Amino acid sequence: MSPKHVIFKKLSRDKSVGVYMAKRDFVDHCDSIDPVDGVVLIDPVQVKGKKVFVMLSCTFRYGRDDMDVMGVAFRRDIFLTTRQVYPELQDKERSIHTKMQEKLLRKLGDNAIPFFFEFPDNLPCSVCLQPAPSDVGKRCAVEFEVKAFCAENQDEKIEKRSSVRLAIRKIQYAPEDSKTIPSSEITCEFLMSDKPLHMQVSLEKETHYHGEPIKVSVYINNSSSRSLKDITVAVEQVTNVVLYSNDKYVRAVALEETSDTVPPGTTLKNVYTLIPLLAANKERRGIALDGKLKHEDTCLASSSIVKEEVLKEVQGMLVSYKVVVRLNASGESDDMVFEEFKRVYLKGVIPDDDESPTEA
């Protein structure tokens, strides 16, 4: 018995064009990116002699489409490419790139036409800022979509009833680098204290995956005359909106508050375990998430990996993470910040109701 594959399909209102795709998550492996492929099904009667185009777009949104301040719209197309699929400009057999396209073409018949796109290396991954429950309109996000439409030419205004849009995601994946052992240390001297306080923080590894426990090793040598208490360990998400503005969001996505104390002349060595999860951060405004496909649940955003010779401004939003250890020293607060570490993840796709999956 052959395995069943989920196919995502969506049709235009007038049924003139439809898009069929085997997946909606496309992975950036750092050295290569999954190509975007699928099949467009056309109805020649409904097309009425017009041409059919397929478009792949990457858009940065920083507000509603109808917002306009001093002539500047809060939306920008980072990448846009369009190809004509009907009438066909080349032999159909030369346009087939995957076995799934071959299966769809056999099942859908002669009016099905394959399409294929490749992502350029400089595009960001899908990411969005979680709005507050009271916020209205579309969220700040970097979004990708595939659009098929009928028109006399690709530059004319697209009629909504003769077009179909299917949201997709470009997600980040990075292989685990076990050679890098992140660590950081700090020495603090206090007034009226002859000896200093020394603190060291380290992690088992640099790369962590979503849902994976992060073990933070903390070593404190308190040679000072101050008493230390209320040690707090947190994983903070730092999001920089680098297009149109310089907004910066810093949110603790995992936090452990302890009553541990370190009296003068003593040491403390402990391992704290944190698990950053979206489930503990829902409805918190300003949390960066991996791109969301309609009603599908998602996860915390992966760390941004900016490739060489790529302008940071083109990325829209940059996401990083850091571990922060805070403690109280006799009324003062001394922060120790550990360098950022990458967190990446691959996840499956849950189909939406109005973008119906079929089995091939």
Side-chain angles (χ1 to χ4, degrees):
M1 184 176 179
S2 61
K4 294 180 179 180
H5 299 277
V6 174
I7 301 298
F8 297 95
K9 72 172 183 179
K10 197 172 183 183
L11 304 176
S12 63
R13 294 181 188 175
D14 61 4
K15 311 298 182 183
S16 60
V17 292
V19 174
Y20 292 73
M21 299 182 68
K23 61 180 182 179
R24 297 171 69 183
D25 280 354
F26 300 89
V27 184
D28 186 340
H29 301 274
C30 294
D31 56 350
S32 64
I33 308 174
D34 293 347
V36 178
D37 64 90
V39 169
V40 175
L41 181 65
I42 67 169
D43 184 342
V45 176
Q46 292 293 335
V47 170
K48 301 176 182 178
K50 295 182 180 179
K51 298 176 183 179
V52 177
F53 301 90
V54 180
M55 176 190 298
L56 173 65
S57 64
C58 172
T59 304
F60 174 76
R61 189 189 309 278
Y62 193 54
R64 301 192 307 271
D65 289 340
D66 57 351
M67 291 179 64
D68 193 309
V69 178
M70 297 181 65
V72 178
F74 285 81
R75 171 191 168 98
R76 176 177 173 181
D77 290 327
I78 299 175
F79 174 75
L80 193 68
T81 181
T82 306
R83 292 178 183 171
Q84 178 181 324
V85 295
Y86 178 83
E88 299 174 59
L89 300 179
Q90 66 176 5
D91 184 69
K92 184 181 294 186
E93 296 298 325
R94 296 179 58 189
S95 302
I96 299 174
H97 291 81
T98 65
K99 292 183 178 180
M100 185 56 66
Q101 284 180 320
E102 293 179 356
K103 292 181 180 179
L104 285 171
L105 292 174
R106 287 197 299 267
K107 184 175 181 178
L108 297 176
D110 295 336
N111 292 328
I113 305 170
F115 66 85
F116 183 87
F117 293 100
E118 291 184 311
F119 288 108
D121 290 335
N122 63 340
L123 290 185
C125 289
S126 300
V127 62
C128 63
L129 286 181
Q130 182 170 254
S134 59
D135 290 346
V136 296
K138 295 187 177 182
R139 67 188 71 195
C140 177
V142 174
E143 300 172 328
F144 290 82
E145 74 172 15
V146 172
K147 178 189 290 187
F149 60 94
C150 302
E152 296 292 344
N153 59 75
Q154 68 181 57
D155 296 324
E156 74 175 38
K157 186 177 180 180
I158 301 173
E159 296 183 9
K160 288 187 177 181
R161 64 188 309 271
S162 299
S163 65
V164 57
R165 302 162 63 177
L166 191 62
I168 62 174
R169 285 190 298 200
K170 179 175 176 283
I171 57 179
Q172 184 68 64
Y173 175 80
E176 186 173 334
D177 183 7
S178 58
K179 298 179 181 179
T180 303
I181 305 298
S183 64
S184 183
E185 57 184 297
I186 188 172
T187 300
C188 297
E189 295 185 356
F190 300 103
L191 187 65
M192 306 297 292
S193 180
D194 295 334
K195 295 182 180 180
L197 158 70
H198 181 76
M199 182 164 59
Q200 182 177 359
V201 176
S202 63
L203 300 184
E204 292 183 327
K205 55 184 180 179
E206 183 183 35
T207 302
H208 292 76
Y209 297 87
H210 291 299
E212 182 180 4
I214 300 173
K215 295 183 179 181
V216 184
S217 298
V218 178
Y219 172 74
I220 300 175
N221 183 5
N222 185 15
S223 300
S224 71
S225 59
R226 301 292 184 94
S227 179
L228 310 178
K229 61 180 181 178
D230 301 335
I231 298 175
T232 300
V233 183
V235 176
E236 292 185 350
Q237 181 193 75
V238 182
T239 305
N240 288 281
V241 181
V242 294
L243 199 60
Y244 287 131
S245 72
N246 290 315
D247 288 355
K248 183 176 182 179
Y249 299 86
V250 181
R251 301 287 188 270
V253 292
L255 178 69
E256 182 173 350
E257 297 177 320
T258 75
S259 57
D260 293 346
T261 60
V262 189
T266 63
T267 62
L268 179 141
K269 188 175 183 180
N270 206 349
V271 177
Y272 302 94
T273 302
L274 302 175
I275 306 179
L277 293 172
L278 176 58
N281 293 278
K282 285 191 173 181
E283 298 186 355
R284 289 186 61 199
R285 188 177 186 273
I287 297 289
L289 313 176
D290 274 342
K292 191 171 184 179
L293 296 177
K294 208 132 192 206
H295 304 297
E296 178 189 342
D297 205 359
T298 183
C299 52
L300 296 173
S302 302
S303 296
S304 303
I305 300 178
V306 182
K307 300 176 183 178
E308 295 182 2
E309 300 180 357
V310 173
L311 294 175
K312 290 184 178 181
E313 290 74 13
V314 181
Q315 303 299 300
M317 286 184 281
L318 297 177
V319 181
S320 61
Y321 292 85
K322 62 183 179 182
V323 169
V324 179
V325 178
R326 293 184 174 89
L327 50 84
N328 290 326
S330 299
E332 298 185 11
S333 177
D334 298 289
D335 294 351
M336 177 177 179
V337 180
F338 166 74
E339 66 186 45
E340 71 175 46
F341 58 91
K342 299 178 177 66
R343 300 179 55 253
V344 289
Y345 181 62
L346 288 175
K347 70 189 295 291
V349 176
I350 302 174
D352 295 329
D353 294 335
D354 61 339
E355 290 152 3
S356 307
T358 60
E359 294 179 350

